[in-house]
Amino acid sequence: HRFSFAKGESIVTEHSYKYTLEEFHQLADGAGFAVARSWTDARRWFSVHYLRPHTNGAHHTLTPNHG
C-alpha cells in the first residue's frame, strides 16, 4: 500500500489507556473474555493478561494472580 500525507499533517501512532486490574477484568468480561491469569510489576503499574473466551456465554470474574 502507498500512503500520502500533507505537509504538517498529524499522525496518531498510539492510544494509551490506564486501567486498574479490576477495571481491566470488567472490560474483558464485557467483551466475552475471562482473565485466566495476570502478571504485574511490584507497583502494579504495568500488567500482562492471559484471556480465555467465556464458554456457553457465561461471564465470570477471576481473581488476578500476581507474580
Side-chain angles (χ1 to χ4, degrees), residues 3 26 35-36 44 55 59-61:
F3 300 94
Q26 290 174 0
V35 178
R44 295 178 67 170
T55 56
H59 288 235
H60 305 285
T61 303

Side-chain angles (χ1 to χ4, degrees), residues 37-63:
R37 179 117 195 239
S38 296
W39 296 267
T40 68
D41 68 317
R43 295 181 185 171
R44 295 178 67 170
W45 286 1
F46 303 96
S47 60
V48 175
H49 304 273
Y50 174 60
L51 305 179
R52 290 189 177 156
H54 288 299
T55 56
N56 301 324
H59 288 235
H60 305 285
T61 303
L62 301 179
T63 303

